[in-house]
Amino acid sequence: FVDKKDGKLALAYIYVAFIAVFLGGTAGLLQVLVRSGKFELPSFLNYYQVLTVHGVLLGLVLTTFFIMGFQTAAVSRTSGTFTNKQRTIGWVGFWLATIGLVAAAAMVLTNQASVLYTFYAPLKAHWVFYLGLALVVVGSWITGLAQAMRFVQWRKEHKGQSTPLLSFMAVVNNLLWFIATLGVAIEVLFQLIPWSMGLVERVDVLLSRTLFWYFGHALVYFWLLPAYMVWYVVIPKVIGGKIFSESLAKLAFMLFLILSVPVGLHHQFTEPGIDPLWKFIQTVLTFFVVVPSLMTAFSMFATFEMRGRELGAKGVFGWFKKLPWSDSRFLLPFIGMVAFIPGGAGGIVNASYQMNELVHNTIWVTGHFHLTVATAVALTFFGTAFWLIPHLNGRKLTKRANSMANCAGILWAIGMTIMSSAMHLAGLLGAPRRSAYSEYGGSEQAAEWISYQITQAIGGSILFIAILVITGLIIYLGFFAPKGEEEFPVAEVAPGAEKVPAALENFKLWGIIMIAVIIFAYTIPIIDIINNSPVGSKGFKLW
Ligand code: HAS
């Protein structure tokens, strides 16, 4: 069980996350309607403001707040109740993040920060927006620190034993988050805030974008890893099985730790000012970071098959029939896994340097991340919240709520298949991302995109209905569901799985490798950018 007091902290984070889901989802509906050409925004809203609300609330707020809540609960469940000091630190983080969120939201809502969730220069926001986001990040560091402290305490109390898998994974994710956010922290503190306060006249746009993407791709794995925590540890228990291999899971997470950051240049293939050699090197590293996802796919199939055979399944795919299809704790994450197959394949297309030329800045990329973060990750988070909230507040996920959750998952699958397929196809026809409806002066090519945009609006509207169901469920499970006990499922490792090698528990070793790979991948590109920068003192050279 998660201790009640720790549960309150986790719940506080999770409730903020779901307010973001509702508001961000509403902004998403406005997006698809505007892009269909059949609807105009009221005059007090502009397209980029709504797009910023959508991206910031769903890409940054839902994710960071849910992850902090889930990981707090996960560490408390598997490493033990937080000490008062650890819990207080956790709450300090929560309040800092929440104050930051309110400040940043106020700027976006008053149209002083319509700079999208990527917010790099040359788009400029009010400095309060940047400060607000910085507080969200610092808040998450502090709550992450509380989780790490509880984990370290467990290690001290259980010397020589292999650490609880879920806590181990949460700590790896916090470490990854900390190192990744250093890039964006430098960008915000030394470039964006002084620039938006008027203290400096110009900032180097290329440096700003490079620092952002140093953080920006690791950000996607910070989102993904908690979903993987559920897939590796919770799902096997829900289906009545065991974890295929703890060592494989820990190795996959350590590989993410060392490979998630030094791949940011794959977002900048089309950007002048970065030597193609370094873009190529980071392409290769990107292909390495695909490996732990392939390991995860292998492990999931193995888990399903082992359980299926236990239940008497025959043949290559017999296990498929033995899975608990009516259990929302399984179904929603499973839909997420299925979506991640085309989502991941699309990522490999994006990463393939030359092929990126075709899809970059088209709505194909939007299709890619709606399959990855907005389905694989989001549906796993929703399916988790539906049992985690009642677990934390002493209520029950009733049969009817479970059926509603399944309906939401199926609606999501239908809506997202329609919307994201239309996005991928329109992207291949050249339709740009991040743009409101336009006929581009009657261009024939632009005319081809319109039917896809209408299709996106149909898919997006179905997704919005799912969001209404999800919001209703969260309110019900949070405040009205019958009192009772709901399990926090944590699976055991399969008998016969090998013991975890000590090297996999050695954070120092993996931390050093991580820093070394980052230094290797980024030092020369950053020196080049600074040396060639048109901004700053003339003739200044770092090297
Ligand atoms: Fe990505 C752009 C490359 C994964 C999110 N990505 C984005 C953006 C976002 C995003 C938000 O190289 C847009 C950023 C912006 O605003 O500009 N991405 C990749 C690659 C991967 C990848 C190589 N992305 C993700 C994940 C995300 C995410 C995960 C969020 C959570 N992405 C790119 C690139 C760009 C990009 C370029 C820049 C594009 C541009 O030009 O701007 C890989 O990590 C993917 C590996 C995944 C797999 C799939 C494994 C499958 C599994 C499921 C198993 C299923 C089971 C069920 C067991 C290889 C684990 C089976 C059951 C059955 C019945 C079949």
Side-chain angles (χ1 to χ4, degrees):
F1 266 97
V2 175
D3 176 85
K4 279 261 163 314
K5 287 190 202 144
D6 296 348
K8 277 199 176 133
L9 172 59
L11 275 175
Y13 266 115
I14 293 172
Y15 287 143
V16 176
F18 277 94
I19 296 173
V21 170
F22 177 68
L23 298 176
T26 309
L29 178 68
L30 295 178
Q31 285 296 306
V32 282
L33 293 180
V34 169
R35 283 189 72 117
S36 73
K38 307 277 175 220
F39 173 87
E40 272 184 32
L41 283 174
S43 57
F44 59 88
L45 287 175
N46 80 56
Y47 179 80
Y48 288 100
Q49 185 182 11
V50 178
L51 187 52
T52 307
V53 172
H54 180 62
V56 168
L57 285 182
L58 296 178
L60 303 179
V61 178
L62 152 66
T63 47
T64 311
F65 278 74
F66 183 83
I67 291 168
M68 282 303 134
F70 170 68
Q71 289 188 170
T72 299
V75 171
S76 172
R77 165 77 169 80
T78 53
S79 284
T81 304
F82 284 47
T83 61
N84 286 340
K85 184 171 150 205
Q86 289 158 357
R87 198 176 308 110
T88 311
I89 295 177
W91 276 108
V92 170
F94 170 78
W95 284 113
L96 272 183
T98 306
I99 293 168
L101 166 62
V102 172
M107 292 302 110
V108 178
L109 293 176
T110 51
N111 201 16
Q112 297 182 75
S114 299
V115 290
L116 312 183
Y117 88 102
T118 39
F119 64 82
Y120 41 63
L123 296 180
K124 194 201 271 181
H126 194 287
W127 60 268
V128 171
F129 172 77
Y130 301 122
L131 188 69
L133 287 187
L135 284 179
V136 172
V137 168
V138 173
S140 64
W141 284 350
I142 295 177
T143 302
L145 175 70
Q147 294 161 16
M149 286 166 70
R150 185 63 194 85
F151 176 74
V152 170
Q153 185 190 336
W154 188 97
R155 262 165 70 128
K156 278 195 191 131
E157 291 163 358
H158 301 81
K159 281 226 163 70
Q161 294 183 23
S162 93
T163 53
L165 182 55
L166 209 48
S167 293
F168 170 96
M169 291 168 150
V171 172
V172 171
N173 203 27
N174 285 326
L175 195 58
L176 166 65
W177 179 237
F178 178 70
I179 302 289
T181 43
L182 289 178
V184 79
I186 294 173
E187 181 201 6
V188 164
L189 287 182
F190 295 103
Q191 289 194 294
L192 300 180
I193 291 185
W195 178 51
S196 91
M197 286 176 125
L199 301 176
V200 294
E201 201 187 327
R202 300 198 297 162
V203 288
D204 189 310
V205 171
L206 180 55
L207 183 61
S208 155
R209 290 165 62 98
T210 306
L211 288 170
F212 182 87
W213 286 121
Y214 163 99
F215 149 80
H217 198 78
L219 169 71
V220 315
Y221 296 119
F222 170 69
W223 299 335
L224 181 68
L225 293 194
Y228 278 7
M229 293 178 206
V230 174
W231 297 3
Y232 274 111
V233 181
V234 174
I235 293 296
K237 178 77 197 253
V238 168
I239 65 171
K242 299 258 180 340
I243 298 169
F244 168 66
S245 159
E246 183 179 349
S247 307
L248 181 146
K250 286 188 169 168
L251 177 62
F253 269 60
M254 284 309 194
L255 290 177
F256 275 117
L257 182 69
I258 60 174
L259 293 166
S260 291
V261 178
V263 294
L265 291 189
H266 73 220
H267 291 261
Q268 296 176 277
F269 286 140
T270 56
E271 193 130 344
I274 300 171
D275 191 318
L277 172 70
W278 290 100
K279 292 180 181 169
F280 178 72
I281 289 174
Q282 293 210 12
T283 301
V284 175
L285 288 169
T286 305
F287 278 82
F288 277 120
V289 79
V290 170
V291 173
S293 283
L294 295 175
M295 289 164 62
T296 305
F298 174 80
S299 183
M300 295 324 299
F301 278 111
T303 305
F304 295 151
E305 185 173 347
M306 275 181 351
R307 178 62 183 150
R309 300 239 176 266
E310 243 174 53
L311 295 175
K314 298 263 175 320
V316 182
F317 293 109
W319 50 268
F320 191 79
K321 287 194 228 131
K322 303 282 180 192
L323 296 171
W325 295 109
S326 58
D327 187 339
S328 66
R329 299 173 306 165
F330 166 75
L331 183 67
L332 272 66
F334 186 84
I335 297 174
M337 290 177 204
V338 175
F340 199 42
I341 297 175
I348 294 171
V349 169
N350 298 345
S352 304
Y353 208 164
Q354 297 90 335
M355 270 201 265
N356 183 270
E357 298 289 315
L358 180 69
V359 296
H360 183 66
N361 270 344
T362 70
I363 200 157
W364 160 285
V365 175
T366 320
H368 160 67
F369 67 72
H370 277 84
L371 286 179
T372 50
V373 63
T375 306
V377 171
L379 268 191
T380 302
F381 286 3
F382 299 159
T384 302
F386 298 149
W387 57 259
L388 182 58
I389 293 177
H391 174 86
L392 297 175
N393 65 8
R395 294 180 190 274
K396 278 294 296 167
L397 170 60
T398 56
K399 268 208 173 129
R400 194 181 281 180
N402 178 62
S403 308
M404 289 307 285
N406 284 338
C407 281
I410 291 165
L411 277 175
W412 199 275
I414 297 171
M416 196 56 91
T417 305
I418 297 174
M419 187 176 89
S420 112
S421 310
M423 284 173 165
H424 278 93
L425 293 173
L428 291 180
L429 296 173
R433 63 185 282 204
R434 307 191 192 97
S435 66
Y437 180 80
S438 167
E439 285 168 17
Y440 297 88
S443 131
E444 261 178 48
Q445 191 184 359
E448 288 184 3
W449 307 331
I450 294 174
S451 57
Y452 292 100
Q453 282 161 202
I454 292 174
T455 314
Q456 285 159 32
I458 295 169
S461 305
I462 298 174
L463 284 167
F464 185 68
I465 299 172
I467 286 205
L468 293 179
V469 178
I470 288 161
T471 310
L473 266 172
I474 295 293
I475 297 173
Y476 173 72
L477 294 167
F479 306 99
F480 301 105
K483 294 272 177 200
E485 273 182 17
E486 187 63 49
E487 183 194 8
F488 185 140
V490 173
E492 286 167 25
V493 180
E498 70 295 348
K499 205 177 159 290
V500 179
L504 282 178
E505 303 273 358
N506 187 341
F507 278 79
K508 248 187 229 147
L509 172 72
W510 293 92
I512 292 171
I513 303 177
M514 174 194 202
I515 307 282
V517 187
I518 293 176
I519 291 177
F520 162 68
Y522 266 111
T523 309
I524 308 234
I526 298 258
I527 289 176
D528 281 350
I529 291 171
I530 295 178
N531 280 351
N532 297 326
S533 174
V535 180
S537 52
K538 289 183 188 61
F540 172 80
K541 287 259 185 283
L542 256 185
W543 208 247

